[in-house]
Amino acid sequence: MIRFADFSRIVFFTGAGLSVESGIPTYRGKGGLWEEYDYESCACQRAFDADPERVWAFHDVRRGFVANCEPNEGHRIIAHVVQASPSVHSVKVITQNIDGLHQRAGSSGVVELHGSLWRVRCDLCGRCKENLEAPIGDRRCACGAWRRPDIVWFEDLLDPAVLQEAADAIAACDLLVSVGTSGAVSPAADLPRIAVARGAMCVEINPEETPVSGLYQHHLRGPATKMLRELSAS
Ligand code: OAD
């Protein structure tokens, strides 16, 4: 039986499945966001350059929706592992999610591989700041250019410093718990391979098998909250 208390440096590698129990749909599969929306018209730089208002309208809907969702028990278990298990020395959350629910549950130092729904940036003058409005008030930067969501859209590159921070934390962990990700999007999906190569215990939480399930020694097939509760049992 795997328990958090038997490890000292834990990395949680999370995806959209963790936020399902908060009411936020996943991206792929039945009911997924990319079934309803075409990323080429709302989640890539080309779409933004062609029609920024339309892309902002899509993101304003998402902001409004997510603002009304709450972190679930899974987010809270992850945020409180160190307090709940004194033998655990450190916890690092590496997420592909942009919803900010880890932080709202109390996690700090979260590595957001795909950026955040709650930051905006200006590619002209470089200003990047938190913005929690839903809908966003001013879509223009003080310099006059368009602000864009600070999200890694399709065809964007991940920030190399963020990727490195994630890789370093994974290289140093003795337990990696993947929660609710399809493993379909690289380079994020390749990160758990570092833990495998370093000999860490790797656990996948997902109700379904994924293309990367073979990487993991242990599979917990069920919803994130229930499976995280099992791991946190003392
Ligand atoms: P996906 O939508 O690709 O996958 C979600 C996974 O969650 C699936 O494997 C489901 O089986 C699983 N799942 C569903 N319900 C669950 C539950 N209650 N508990 C645990 N797991 C559950 O989402 P991601 O892998 O996160 O990019 O997608 C990766 C990236 O693709 C996202 O970050 C996003 C998207 O395009 C950006 O937003 C930039």
Side-chain angles (χ1 to χ4, degrees):
M1 183 179 165
I2 310 276
R3 300 177 325 150
F4 295 142
D6 294 330
F7 297 87
S8 69
R9 291 176 309 283
I10 302 177
V11 164
F12 290 96
F13 179 71
T14 67
L18 175 61
S19 295
V20 162
E21 291 165 271
S22 292
I24 302 176
T26 58
Y27 294 95
R28 295 172 185 78
K30 198 166 171 285
L33 195 71
W34 301 141
E35 258 195 354
E36 191 179 342
Y37 294 94
D38 169 19
Y39 84 82
E40 290 199 302
S41 64
C42 59
C44 68
Q45 186 67 44
R46 284 180 292 121
F48 190 71
D49 292 342
D51 192 345
E53 295 282 9
R54 176 172 156 156
V55 173
W56 261 120
F58 168 76
H59 286 85
D60 272 345
V61 170
R62 295 204 69 201
R63 280 174 164 241
F65 185 82
V66 173
N68 285 315
C69 295
E70 297 296 328
N72 63 52
E73 188 191 349
H75 295 103
R76 287 193 293 275
I77 289 173
I78 290 172
H80 297 113
V81 169
V82 172
Q83 293 97 309
S85 308
S87 55
V88 176
H89 181 256
S90 70
V91 164
K92 191 77 176 170
V93 178
I94 299 171
T95 190
Q96 297 162 86
N97 297 344
I98 58 173
D99 55 30
L101 293 188
H102 279 298
Q103 292 89 334
R104 282 170 57 195
S107 286
S108 55
V110 177
V111 179
E112 294 178 307
L113 291 168
H114 292 161
S116 173
L117 196 51
W118 306 111
R119 277 194 313 270
V120 292
R121 71 167 200 256
C122 171
D123 282 338
L124 191 65
C125 74
R127 278 194 193 93
C128 183
K129 61 177 191 176
E130 185 179 72
N131 180 299
L132 304 178
E133 298 163 348
I136 189 167
D138 198 347
R139 294 173 175 180
R140 295 271 186 180
C141 177
C143 77
W146 283 97
R147 292 161 150 184
R148 57 158 276 178
D150 190 29
I151 292 172
V152 179
W153 282 330
F154 284 86
E155 300 159 13
D156 286 349
L157 296 177
L158 271 69
D159 181 332
V162 172
L163 203 49
Q164 191 60 54
E165 186 182 357
D168 290 346
I170 292 176
C173 76
D174 56 357
L175 173 66
L176 180 134
V177 185
S178 161
V179 190
T181 176
S182 63
V185 176
S186 288
D190 297 321
L191 284 167
R193 293 179 191 278
I194 299 171
V196 175
R198 294 288 179 123
M201 174 66 71
C202 295
V203 177
E204 179 183 60
I205 296 179
N206 198 311
E208 293 173 17
E209 193 171 335
T210 72
V212 293
S213 290
L215 285 178
Y216 296 86
Q217 294 109 306
H218 286 270
H219 307 98
L220 298 175
R221 297 277 173 241
T225 50
K226 180 166 185 276
M227 297 299 123
L228 286 165
R229 219 180 292 137
E230 282 184 14
L231 291 174
S232 60
S234 50

